[in-house]
Amino acid sequence: MHVNATVPSSFPYSLCISALKNLETLIEVAAQQYYGDDKRWNFIAVTEALKVLFRLALFKNCGYKILLDGGETINNERHLKTSTSQHRPNAFTKHGGHNASGYSGYLNGHDHWNLEGRALSALSRFGENARMISPPAWSYGVQHQHGMFNPSATTPERPTLSTILSEQGHRGALFVTGEVLFITRPLIYVLLIRKYGSRSWTPWFLSLAVDLLGTSFLSYGTSASTSRKNQRSCLSDSEKDELRKRKMLWAFYLMRDPFFERYTRRKLEGAEKVLAPVPFVGFLTAKIVELIIGAQTRYTYMSAS
């Protein structure tokens, strides 16, 4: 049995984040259909605000660790196995084993050529081996209750914000700031679009600046010297993959207005015209360009949030 070492059982933040991500496209389409293209951004902003709240709560709840897949995957690298009798035999096992061994020795001292004596000896050895392999069922309940009454014996203390700041100093502050910037970036982008419009360069540049700044803070905050005794800033393999994935998501800026309308779309239409005379390839290229242009009109398809 594995025990979560960092995230106690609490509100299902990851489930709520996944549900919102699955429903956000439906919310955007319904809002555009019933309230118009301009007012749909109000509903999108509410959806992004809810995701930000859930992610911030999850970030705090998991001990200020990097969120994996936007919070849909719980960042839990360490697991603790509950003790069993194979590692720490309890008093009952020891006592039972001792009595069984003595009883077996007593039987072994009798005439083994006696059929009844050999049968009793075999049963005794079977019972002794069974107790050594698996303790009684009630012993698991005792161990479980012991873990409940003594949580510190199985679950390490989660790091708090003050702990991170005191142990890591400015590196810890930059790490937390960088992760908060990554979490709040989609909401900032949507609010700027509501104010300036989707064709303005202001939301595009400010969103890119927040991404670059947050990634820089995270990189600096996790590049602690190996000579330091504290190793909280060392990243796991899954966290390194997450940081690489976030950098790859920057490609979506090529698909967001106004960059898409002024540059990317022209390149796609130019490639379509060049490949149009080629049989099958031209038809396939036209369909791909059509799908890309259609998907680009939906914020949720290009938000990478």
Side-chain angles (χ1 to χ4, degrees), residues 6 60 62-65 157-161 163-164 167 232:
T6 56
K60 177 180 180 296
C62 69
Y64 298 96
K65 300 171 68 175
E157 183 181 357
R158 287 183 301 156
T160 61
L161 183 60
T163 302
I164 294 177
E167 291 182 355
R232 290 189 191 274

Side-chain angles (χ1 to χ4, degrees), residues 283-297:
F283 172 78
L284 185 61
T285 304
K287 290 300 179 180
I288 293 176
V289 172
E290 182 181 355
L291 289 175
I292 292 176
I293 294 176
Q296 192 274 336
T297 59

Side-chain angles (χ1 to χ4, degrees), residues 2-17:
H2 295 280
V3 180
N4 194 332
T6 56
V7 183
S9 58
S10 58
F11 190 80
Y13 298 108
S14 298
L15 180 62
C16 294
I17 295 171

Side-chain angles (χ1 to χ4, degrees), residues 13-72:
Y13 298 108
S14 298
L15 180 62
C16 294
I17 295 171
S18 300
L20 284 174
K21 293 187 69 173
N22 291 328
L23 292 174
E24 59 184 358
T25 302
L26 177 62
I27 295 174
E28 179 184 3
V29 173
Q32 187 177 13
Q33 182 71 24
Y34 291 102
Y35 296 97
D37 188 66
D38 293 335
K39 292 186 177 181
R40 67 170 173 149
W41 295 106
N42 297 330
F43 294 88
I44 295 175
V46 172
T47 305
E48 292 292 355
L50 290 176
K51 288 196 292 184
V52 166
L53 291 177
F54 287 137
R55 284 169 176 165
L56 288 176
L58 180 61
F59 181 50
K60 177 180 180 296
N61 194 52
C62 69
Y64 298 96
K65 300 171 68 175
I66 292 178
L67 298 184
L68 304 179
D69 298 325
E72 293 185 83

Side-chain angles (χ1 to χ4, degrees), residues 84-283:
T84 61
S85 61
Q86 297 176 357
H87 298 88
R88 293 191 312 172
N90 51 31
F92 178 84
T93 305
K94 292 180 179 179
H95 181 71
H98 176 74
N99 289 343
S101 300
Y103 184 60
S104 176
Y106 170 78
L107 291 176
N108 291 337
H110 285 68
D111 185 11
H112 285 280
W113 296 103
N114 187 349
L115 180 61
E116 182 180 357
R118 284 183 292 175
L120 291 175
S121 177
L123 289 175
S124 176
R125 287 195 301 269
F126 177 78
E128 181 180 353
N129 292 335
R131 280 190 293 268
M132 292 176 62
I133 294 174
S134 59
W138 59 266
S139 64
Y140 288 107
V142 173
Q143 292 175 5
H144 178 68
Q145 293 179 1
H146 177 74
M148 292 178 60
F149 287 109
N150 299 275
S152 60
T154 57
T155 304
E157 183 181 357
R158 287 183 301 156
T160 61
L161 183 60
S162 59
T163 302
I164 294 177
L165 295 179
S166 61
E167 291 182 355
Q168 301 183 24
H170 67 283
R171 289 184 181 272
L174 289 177
F175 170 80
V176 174
T177 303
E179 190 66 12
V180 170
L181 287 176
F182 170 77
I183 294 173
T184 57
R185 196 275 312 165
L187 178 60
I188 295 173
Y189 180 58
V190 171
L191 294 178
L192 290 174
I193 289 179
R194 287 181 68 250
K195 182 176 181 179
Y196 297 100
S198 60
R199 300 302 176 92
S200 173
W201 283 101
T202 302
W204 192 91
F205 275 117
L206 290 180
S207 178
L208 179 60
V210 171
D211 261 336
L212 295 175
L213 194 63
T215 302
S216 301
F217 286 169
L218 284 174
S219 299
Y220 184 78
T222 56
S223 61
S225 175
T226 56
S227 62
R228 297 172 65 94
K229 293 182 180 180
N230 179 36
Q231 297 295 330
R232 290 189 191 274
S233 57
C234 295
L235 297 180
S236 62
D237 292 337
S238 58
E239 291 172 337
K240 293 177 182 178
D241 293 339
E242 174 65 22
L243 294 181
R244 285 192 291 266
K245 186 188 304 182
R246 292 181 184 182
K247 293 179 181 179
M248 293 178 63
L249 292 178
W250 293 350
F252 279 98
Y253 281 100
L254 303 178
M255 304 299 299
R256 296 170 187 164
D257 286 331
F259 190 94
F260 177 83
E261 193 66 28
R262 297 194 180 185
Y263 301 102
T264 307
R265 183 167 184 171
R266 295 179 183 179
K267 296 295 182 181
L268 292 175
E269 292 175 347
E272 179 184 1
K273 292 179 181 179
V274 172
L275 298 175
V278 181
F280 182 72
V281 176
F283 172 78

